[in-house]
Amino acid sequence: MEFITVHEAEEIILAETRSYGIEQLPIGRASGRVLAGTLRADRDLPPFDRATVDGIAIGAEAVARNIKQFTIKGVQAAGMEPIPLSGPDKCIEIMTGAAVHHSAVAIVRYEDVELDRPNAQLTGSSPLIGQHIHRMGQDKRVNDVVVPAGRIVGPSLMSIAASLGSSYIPVKKLPRVAVITTGSELVHIDDTPSPFQIRRSNDIAIQAALSRYGIYASAIHLSDDYKKMEACLTSCVQDYDVLLLTGGVSMGRFDYVPDVLSTLGVIKKFHKVKQRPGKPLWFGAFQHGPIVFAFPGNPVSVFMCLHRYFIPWLEESLGLNRPAEYAILQNDICFAPPLQYFPQVSVRISRHGLLEALPVRGNGSGDFANLAETNAFMELPLEHSVFRRGNAYRIWKYITH
Amino acid sequence: MEFITVHEAEEIILAETRSYGIEQLPIGRASGRVLAGTLRADRDLPPFDRATVDGIAIGAEAVARNIKQFTIKGVQAAGMEPIPLSGPDKCIEIMTGAAVHHSAVAIVRYEDVELDRPNAQLTGSSPLIGQHIHRMGQDKRVNDVVVPAGRIVGPSLMSIAASLGSSYIPVKKLPRVAVITTGSELVHIDDTPSPFQIRRSNDIAIQAALSRYGIYASAIHLSDDYKKMEACLTSCVQDYDVLLLTGGVSMGRFDYVPDVLSTLGVIKKFHKVKQRPGKPLWFGAFQHGPIVFAFPGNPVSVFMCLHRYFIPWLEESLGLNRPAEYAILQNDICFAPPLQYFPQVSVRISRHGLLEALPVRGNGSGDFANLAETNAFMELPLEHSVFRRGNAYRIWKYITH
């Protein structure tokens, strides 16, 4: 047997990352994409001395002499050109977000002022120089990096880009992906299966997971017919950057996938991994060309291989650097086979800030109903067969929505 | 002053949840929505005794008498009608996922069989009754609940629904939401701001966050003009279920929002909360009608109020029950003001399965650049002013993408 370990499989896969280039997108269409360049400040942030409260602006001499009584000489709304002070006992009513004129050195909040317009009297403690003024350039100077490359685009990044006037941002281009389900026993969701058939679901799971990254994968179904499979995959390796197949990679007599892929010139990198679920995983690639993941057909195996192998390959290819995650096992687990075991777990956060993983026992890799009760796979080390409650192990959270 | 606590504000808001009904959606369009009914098994799961490996199927007498030598009487692919065994020394080659005939009681893997077709000889240990057969109904019986209502629709749920033939699923309808930015100092992202103006970004942040739930919110901008604001909001309260305003709720002379909303008959539930950021938060509602959140204008305040108040209101209204999350503070924090403090933190998971929150100091609520370096707000208790490293406090993770 030519079984390899999970670690070896991972290394082989991550040696085959690809780069698909960069494109410019309007920020409203970039959610979920990976930023491919830095976002820099187009001017100082804040771009002017900014009032952080509503109140009155006063000058340096007023602060030094502790003047309490002022005459209001103007009202300055946010967005207006700053109004200068015309004397130590003069003040300007100023609104949050307004630009503070350089003749003013402090803002006194309305809460600390008694107003009898045009008179204003300070009622609180003595003002301090600079109070309630957010200084120009205090957060960033013009041209400073505000967001580095390699971040996922989401609400905060989009809002920052908008503030900087970056209505288009550079993002990593995405591979063209085909999801190819195989198996004569699988019928379309809207068809009525015979008593011995089941409906297809792996295509839907994979498409939904990839949409999180902005990838809209094609879905193709093939029955277990060598010639048809060969014809279809011949065109797929020309049209797509990534093929994700499900089924047809085990020892069955109609498991044509590895043979067909070899015929097409896909270089097999490995077949079969010391793991449960997902043992028959097949991986291959053209040199500098399309890459092919052929997952076993069981929904749980597909889900595991997708999260453990394909998503890390995708994120690495896009330049995303997501840190590993660990959780604390809540039950003892015994697992004797010489395979790396990936139990399905339900991860939750305790009141004490611990990530707790409760294994939820399914009936093997065919029990897809169990996916609804769990939210991660836990990766238990190959070297051991007993895993104790209280130990932390790596987890692979399911992509949600 | 009429300041209320964060806890009081939360209670008032959650007393105003709404229900918007249920709609049926094709599963491919339901990602991010909340399942509004149970998904039940349309037949037993598995729907037949299912082979879990590729190999040969043998009968009860063969197992009892420990027969090792068989003649192959047929090949059964997945999806085919089951082939009966015709005697104790007869077997069927059977493929993973195929239906096992009731005359067969065990499957022996190809790995444990020496094949010289039509002969097959067992080479491994004696087979056990039931081995490698996933029994009909072992996971679920027909009509059992497979997924309960109230779950977010994502890849695993969509795949389960597909398996059950639920091409349409019931989901909670969404409120019609308008995001209304206010402030004469704010220009459109594509316009060039004067030296005293800034670009709008709150609308983009809120729209992006809500899209995670499948909500496509309208965005409307209003300058600080009482009449225009009144006219626009008059039509908004008729056209939308939820208004999310930003800006214009502080003590400024052009902060017309609370007045205009009162004029329109929106019942003010509270204004100002003992918190930083986000103190001037305003909340109101029509009885059984639209609800209105008016956030302060600073991007960080908006982000905090959105995650701490609006999202919980939305999730509760949709019947989502998301557990609270906690993380362990990594630095001591001193915060003297009598306000509940929500520092921005960067949360990561340690190798030991601990959720660690590192505070990242910004320059106040105007420093939106800080949102790129953090991924959550931490909620520090109002009663204290010193918060020690090592203590766990509640966190509110940002909506990502």
Side-chain angles (χ1 to χ4, degrees), chain A residues 358-374:
Chain A
L358 190 69
V360 178
R361 234 201 157 64
N363 290 312
S365 48
D367 184 7
F368 61 85
N370 209 31
L371 292 174
E373 304 307 320
T374 53

Side-chain angles (χ1 to χ4, degrees), chain A residues 42-43 48 50 54 93 139 151 155 163 167 190 195 197 199 250-253 298 353-355 363 372 400, chain B residues 42-43 48 50 54 93 139 151 155 163 167 190 195 197 199 250-253 298 353-355 363 372 400:
Chain A
D42 66 321
R43 47 184 187 160
F48 43 79
R50 185 181 143 272
D54 304 307
E93 281 189 71
D139 301 341
R151 297 287 175 82
S163 301
S167 44
D190 287 327
Q197 293 179 316
R199 298 184 188 91
S250 198
M251 299 193 67
R253 293 190 52 184
N298 273 321
L354 309 181
L355 222 61
N363 290 312
T400 51
Chain B
D42 66 321
R43 47 184 186 159
F48 43 78
R50 183 181 145 274
D54 304 307
E93 281 188 73
D139 301 340
R151 298 286 174 85
S163 301
S167 44
D190 287 328
Q197 293 180 316
R199 299 184 188 90
S250 199
M251 300 191 66
R253 292 189 54 184
N298 274 321
L354 309 181
L355 222 60
N363 290 312
T400 50

Side-chain angles (χ1 to χ4, degrees), chain A residues 202-213 215 306 399-401, chain B residues 27 31 154-156 158-159:
Chain A
N202 286 328
D203 45 358
I204 287 166
I206 297 173
Q207 284 180 309
L210 298 203
S211 73
R212 188 76 201 276
Y213 295 85
I215 293 175
L306 184 76
I399 292 168
T400 51
H401 62 284
Chain B
I27 51 172
S31 184
S156 60
M158 289 158 81
S159 136

Side-chain angles (χ1 to χ4, degrees), chain A residues 139-140 146-148 151-152 154-161 163, chain B residues 201-202 205-206 277 297-307 342-346 360-377 396-400:
Chain A
D139 301 341
K140 299 282 174 189
V146 182
V147 185
R151 297 287 175 82
I152 283 227
S156 59
L157 194 154
M158 289 158 81
S159 134
I160 291 170
S163 301
Chain B
S201 64
N202 286 326
I206 297 174
N298 274 321
V300 178
S301 302
V302 168
F303 223 60
M304 190 286 254
C305 291
L306 183 76
H307 288 90
F342 289 83
Q344 292 172 260
V345 296
S346 170
V360 178
R361 231 196 162 67
N363 290 312
S365 47
D367 184 6
F368 61 85
N370 209 30
L371 291 174
E373 305 306 321
T374 53
N375 56 17
F377 292 100
W396 300 85
K397 279 192 202 144
Y398 305 165
I399 293 167
T400 50

Side-chain angles (χ1 to χ4, degrees), chain A residues 10 41 47 81 116-117 127 130 145 149 175 234 241 247 312 353 398:
Chain A
E10 179 179 44
E81 187 160 352
D116 179 17
R117 292 187 179 95
V145 173
T234 300
D241 301 306
Y398 305 166

Side-chain angles (χ1 to χ4, degrees), chain A residues 87-310:
Chain A
D89 60 346
K90 305 295 187 292
C91 73
I92 302 291
E93 281 189 71
I94 194 163
M95 305 306 139
T96 305
V100 180
H101 192 269
H102 59 78
S103 58
V105 301
I107 318 276
V108 182
R109 303 183 306 165
Y110 275 139
E111 290 91 327
D112 299 326
V113 177
E114 206 174 283
L115 281 177
D116 179 17
R117 292 187 179 95
N119 299 312
Q121 171 153 6
L122 305 195
T123 58
S125 50
S126 299
L128 303 171
I129 298 250
Q131 75 177 25
H132 303 311
I133 299 176
H134 187 185
R135 287 287 172 205
M136 176 171 168
Q138 191 176 330
D139 301 341
K140 299 282 174 189
R141 308 299 307 218
V142 60
N143 233 6
D144 277 357
V145 173
V146 182
V147 185
R151 297 287 175 82
I152 283 227
V153 179
S156 59
L157 194 154
M158 289 158 81
S159 134
I160 291 170
S163 301
L164 305 177
S166 306
S167 44
Y168 280 73
I169 57 174
V171 297
K172 287 292 179 83
K173 281 176 87 168
L174 299 169
R176 298 161 299 170
V177 179
V179 179
I180 303 162
T181 49
T182 74
S184 303
E185 78 278 21
L186 302 174
V187 303
H188 186 271
I189 176 177
D190 287 327
D191 291 338
T192 304
S194 82
F196 319 112
Q197 293 179 316
I198 57 174
R199 298 184 188 91
R200 294 199 285 278
S201 63
N202 286 328
D203 45 358
I204 287 166
I206 297 173
Q207 284 180 309
L210 298 203
S211 73
R212 188 76 201 276
Y213 295 85
I215 293 175
Y216 294 94
S218 308
I220 298 161
H221 180 69
L222 296 174
S223 56
D224 298 316
D225 176 313
Y226 193 99
K227 283 284 157 211
K228 285 184 188 160
M229 189 176 286
E230 191 177 21
C232 176
L233 293 183
T234 300
S235 74
C236 282
V237 295
Q238 285 160 8
D239 298 342
Y240 295 95
D241 301 306
V242 176
L243 309 189
L244 300 179
L245 289 100
T246 70
V249 289
S250 198
M251 299 193 67
R253 293 190 52 184
F254 313 105
D255 290 345
Y256 300 134
V257 167
D259 275 0
V260 172
L261 291 170
S262 294
T263 307
L264 299 185
V266 184
I267 301 156
K268 180 178 94 170
K269 300 291 181 178
F270 66 77
H271 187 191
K272 295 181 182 163
V273 181
K274 287 182 189 156
Q275 62 184 10
R276 180 176 295 170
K279 196 168 64 174
L281 174 63
W282 189 101
F283 175 72
F286 286 91
Q287 206 179 355
H288 311 303
I291 66 145
V292 182
F293 291 81
F295 304 139
N298 273 321
V300 178
S301 302
V302 167
F303 223 60
M304 189 286 252
C305 291
L306 184 76
H307 289 89
R308 181 63 185 87
Y309 298 106
F310 176 70

